[in-house]
Amino acid sequence: MAIPETAAAERPAEERDLAGINADYKEKFGFHDPESGYAYKSPKGLSREVVESISEYKDEPQWMRDFRIKAYEHFESRPTPQWGGNLNQIDFDNIHYFVRASDKNSRDWSEVPEDIKNTFDRLGIPEAERKFLSGVGAQYESEVVYHQVNEKLEEQGVIFTDMDTALREHEDLVREYWATIIPPNDNKLAALNSAVWSGGSFVYVPAGVSVAMPLQAYFRINTENMGQFERTLIIAEEGSDVHYIEGCTAPTYSTDSLHSAVVEIVAKKSARVRYTTVQNWSQNVFNLVTKRAVAHEDATMEWVDCNLGSKLTMKYPSIYLLGERAHGEILSIAFAGEGQHQDAGGKIIHAAPKTTSSIFSKSISKDKGRTSYRGLLEIAKGASESKSKVVCDALLLDEESRSDTYPTIRISEDDVDVGHEATVSKVGEEQIFYLQSRGLDEEEASKMIVNGFIEPITKELPMEYAVELNRLIELQMEGSIG
Amino acid sequence: MTEGTKQQIDVCAASELPNGETRLVEAPDGAKIGVFNCDGSLYAIEDRCSHDDGPLAEGPFDADACTVECPRHGSLFDLTSGRPKTLPAYQPVTTYPVTIVDDTVKLEVP
């Protein structure tokens, strides 16, 4: 897509450069706003003082201050992981850990500061809210600047607010579940998030309440060398049903930013939670996220994880099936273009009898991009009659790209049914030739193959997102036949 | 704990294990066991986190809540039941009966 027609025409098709993923990113999402009106920006680097000042600035209760300090100590004492992507590139001293763009969090769109409003207008957030969402949150830098939830849902007791507000207004509820799914010393990046977290969403769905349309949060990094560390907690009470969607973008800078979120989900008896991510960070963002859910008896938890952007993503959403007949699903799409490494996958732990799960991972690599599937399937002793299927498919669009698969399967029970399939394929001349014989040109044929490849996952997205995802991927495919 | 032949081993003098204190002892079979005093009540668990088999009993001990935190990945264990209260551990650890006989803390082990 990035190749102007004239330039492309000067070269034979087989010599064309492969267009990079998100080739129009800079024009569409890569802009940035001036920071002159900002309320607060912490100095670069992480220290105990920075952690304390964030807590003080937010006027938090003592237990949260203690939690942050403890987490900071864990972060400092842990070595940087040496597996997955190269995290040694991150300069933790060259990051702003807390940036407050606005002093207030509005419920009325017209009250959002003009610069920020323009940003979200350009990203289409208000339009999406009007059309098909039950509620929306918009996080700009470290804090949420806008939050709204459908009034009817509010009357039913649904809470959808930013995490800072939740801590102030629903402290007991937050404290009951806080860090019970992902403790601060779970891993180095979870410790970092726990120390400097800010923003994120808090969702509480009372028993029996079904949230018909999705709730959405949109995350935006604007400042260069900024770290965004939102924290999301979703509690779905017995028999409730909710779909949460998050999207994210950032300006294109020459130096790196860091996004390290923690997402915890509790799906109680017979509840159903779906969490969809369309990750489209600019290619200077390290995206290192810990996501984990528990599903109790007869509950269903689904992660739909689409990773298109970022420089390096390391993210493996996990589900602990703790109650009988609980069900977990992970659908993962990763698309790595030039300079990108998508280290994605999923983990499912069967800890109770008759639990079922599936992991479907689809990755596409091009322009020397690298995708990795890293997954864990564990069936614990006692989780008899459990069933699981893991399928990971990789598609390579050229000779220089790379795909790796690191599946781990641990089974401690005899009476189970587990399947694992993995394929690696390349868009071959024969496939293209066959489709061309049906009247398609080379480019259309290639697009069709890629769309067919990811279709099992895009069909699970709400239509608006499926269209957007298909469009993004099609854009990258244009002119990509070498 | 499993049924079968059991034996008692001495841990320490009761005065050496006041409220909020812990002791780490080794059973005859070589297993390490942590003994805890939560507000006057004594509890013992195996010194092995059920998440990744790392040492558990030397983690931060909260006598008021009667919990111990795995120093490796942060799972919080209820000392009265051996059950994890937080992930990533999800399976309980073995617990052992503790008694005080003649001012000596005694542990019943297989």
Side-chain angles (χ1 to χ4, degrees):
Chain A
M1 176 273 163
I3 305 167
E5 274 181 27
T6 47
E10 285 166 11
R11 285 172 287 169
E14 63 271 19
E15 286 180 16
R16 276 182 214 160
D17 291 334
L18 299 179
I21 184 171
N22 270 334
D24 66 338
Y25 193 97
K26 201 162 183 176
E27 299 80 59
K28 198 171 174 212
F29 308 114
F31 61 92
H32 76 277
D33 303 326
E35 298 161 28
S36 52
Y38 276 18
Y40 180 76
K41 187 173 174 180
S42 71
K44 280 183 181 176
L46 185 60
S47 64
R48 193 183 175 101
E49 289 68 39
V50 167
V51 174
E52 282 173 342
S53 70
I54 293 172
S55 192
E56 200 166 318
Y57 202 75
K58 291 172 179 284
D59 197 19
E60 290 176 340
Q62 190 60 44
W63 67 269
M64 184 57 79
R65 291 182 193 212
D66 296 342
F67 173 86
R68 285 181 185 274
I69 293 298
K70 188 174 146 190
Y72 168 70
E73 286 165 359
H74 284 307
F75 172 75
E76 287 288 294
S77 65
R78 278 192 173 238
T80 300
Q82 297 301 312
W83 53 272
N86 181 6
L87 300 181
N88 298 322
Q89 304 169 73
I90 304 173
D91 182 358
F92 288 104
D93 293 327
N94 191 36
I95 289 170
H96 295 283
Y97 285 86
F98 181 66
V99 180
R100 177 179 276 184
S102 168
D103 268 335
K104 58 180 179 181
N105 169 1
S106 307
R107 289 189 61 133
D108 185 337
W109 192 249
S110 64
E111 289 175 8
V112 175
E114 202 63 28
D115 281 353
I116 300 174
K117 195 162 61 180
N118 289 342
T119 296
F120 287 114
D121 280 340
R122 285 175 74 173
L123 298 169
I125 306 305
E127 194 187 346
E129 181 188 353
R130 280 194 299 273
K131 281 187 180 168
F132 68 100
L133 296 173
S134 294
V136 69
Q139 177 157 344
Y140 192 85
E141 311 292 29
S142 295
E143 297 199 326
V144 172
V145 293
Y146 174 73
H147 232 288
Q148 185 61 273
V149 64
N150 185 303
E151 276 177 19
K152 200 173 166 191
L153 288 173
E154 221 168 25
E155 283 166 17
Q156 288 178 295
V158 173
I159 302 169
F160 176 46
T161 186
D162 68 282
M163 190 54 84
D164 295 283
T165 303
L167 182 60
R168 283 193 301 273
E169 296 179 1
H170 310 281
E171 185 182 338
D172 291 345
L173 196 53
V174 170
R175 193 173 184 180
E176 185 180 344
Y177 295 96
W178 184 264
T180 58
I181 313 298
I182 303 171
N185 51 341
D186 187 271
N187 62 73
K188 188 175 178 78
L189 278 307
L192 177 63
N193 173 286
S194 300
V196 297
W197 74 270
S198 185
S201 300
F202 177 75
V203 178
Y204 176 82
V205 188
V209 173
S210 182
V211 181
M213 292 190 292
L215 301 172
Q216 190 199 22
Y218 197 90
F219 297 92
R220 174 79 179 170
I221 293 176
N222 183 57
T223 299
E224 189 167 13
N225 302 127
M226 196 235 159
Q228 192 175 67
F229 305 97
E230 87 272 10
R231 185 128 192 155
T232 289
L233 173 61
I234 298 176
I235 303 153
E237 291 284 4
E238 192 171 326
S240 65
D241 187 339
V242 65
H243 183 186
Y244 178 92
I245 301 177
E246 64 176 1
C248 31
T249 59
T252 308
Y253 288 118
S254 55
T255 54
D256 298 326
S257 291
L258 172 62
H259 172 254
S260 182
V262 163
V263 177
E264 301 178 284
I265 296 176
V266 181
K268 295 201 182 169
K269 188 180 174 185
S270 304
R272 179 176 178 274
V273 179
R274 171 173 282 201
Y275 191 110
T276 299
T277 303
V278 180
Q279 182 271 107
N280 198 18
W281 292 117
S282 56
Q283 290 185 23
N284 53 293
V285 174
F286 285 93
N287 184 43
L288 311 167
V289 176
T290 310
K291 291 181 165 173
R292 190 177 290 159
V294 292
H296 292 279
E297 191 181 332
D298 290 310
T300 296
M301 174 65 214
E302 299 163 323
W303 294 105
V304 182
D305 205 42
C306 309
N307 292 297
L308 296 170
S310 81
K311 180 177 191 171
L312 167 67
T313 284
M314 286 174 70
K315 181 168 37 146
Y316 324 98
S318 62
I319 307 172
Y320 283 66
L321 302 169
L322 298 184
E324 278 196 37
R325 296 174 301 279
H327 176 69
E329 269 184 41
I330 299 172
L331 303 173
S332 173
I333 290 183
F335 198 141
E338 188 178 0
Q340 287 186 292
H341 182 185
Q342 306 282 10
D343 201 274
K347 300 179 189 178
I348 294 192
I349 289 97
H350 291 252
K354 297 175 183 165
T355 45
T356 53
S357 71
S358 60
I359 301 177
F360 289 101
S361 165
K362 299 270 185 184
S363 70
I364 302 160
S365 318
K366 66 195 289 285
D367 298 339
K368 300 182 187 171
R370 181 179 173 192
T371 57
S372 310
Y373 167 79
R374 201 178 293 275
L376 169 69
L377 172 68
E378 183 170 313
I379 298 190
K381 189 79 191 153
S384 55
E385 298 180 59
S386 290
K387 290 182 183 175
S388 179
K389 187 175 185 188
V390 179
V391 179
C392 37
D393 298 329
L395 185 65
L396 296 167
L397 296 184
D398 53 52
E399 298 289 345
E400 297 156 322
S401 298
R402 175 175 169 182
S403 177
D404 302 279
T405 304
Y406 307 95
T408 303
I409 297 180
R410 289 190 211 123
I411 300 175
S412 307
E413 187 58 60
D414 295 330
D415 181 18
V416 297
D417 182 352
V418 172
H420 177 87
E421 295 172 24
T423 66
V424 181
S425 49
K426 187 177 176 303
V427 177
E429 282 178 14
E430 276 182 31
Q431 287 170 297
I432 301 283
F433 176 76
Y434 175 75
L435 287 166
Q436 282 182 302
S437 75
R438 314 294 290 183
L440 300 176
D441 67 23
E442 192 181 359
E443 200 163 289
E444 286 169 338
S446 183
K447 276 185 198 171
M448 185 173 277
I449 290 166
V450 170
N451 275 338
F453 179 72
I454 62 166
E455 192 261 347
I457 293 180
T458 50
K459 76 179 183 192
E460 294 296 326
L461 294 170
M463 194 182 70
E464 292 77 1
Y465 282 82
V467 169
E468 175 71 3
L469 193 69
N470 274 333
R471 200 188 62 81
L472 277 171
I473 288 174
E474 276 187 13
L475 279 172
Q476 312 323 319
M477 292 303 302
E478 287 177 20
S480 70
I481 306 304
Chain B
M1 64 178 287
T2 53
E3 293 299 320
T5 314
K6 289 175 184 163
Q7 53 185 313
Q8 282 198 329
I9 57 171
D10 292 352
V11 177
C12 62
S15 59
E16 290 172 355
L17 190 60
N19 182 27
E21 288 295 318
T22 68
R23 278 282 184 283
L24 195 62
V25 293
E26 196 169 313
D29 66 358
K32 286 185 175 170
I33 297 168
V35 187
F36 302 80
N37 185 334
C38 301
D39 200 18
S41 301
L42 301 180
Y43 299 97
I45 60 164
E46 61 177 317
D47 181 28
R48 179 195 68 86
C49 178
S50 57
H51 170 230
D52 72 349
D53 296 337
L56 170 63
E58 288 156 284
F61 166 44
D62 184 336
D64 295 333
C66 207
T67 57
V68 67
E69 182 186 314
C70 175
R72 286 167 60 82
H73 299 100
S75 274
L76 202 60
F77 285 85
D78 181 345
L79 292 167
T80 66
S81 66
R83 291 200 181 93
K85 297 178 83 167
T86 70
L87 294 177
Y90 58 89
Q91 289 176 315
V93 294
T94 305
T95 58
Y96 304 87
V98 197
T99 49
I100 296 178
V101 179
D102 297 332
D103 207 33
T104 299
V105 177
K106 289 183 180 288
L107 190 61
E108 196 174 287
V109 293

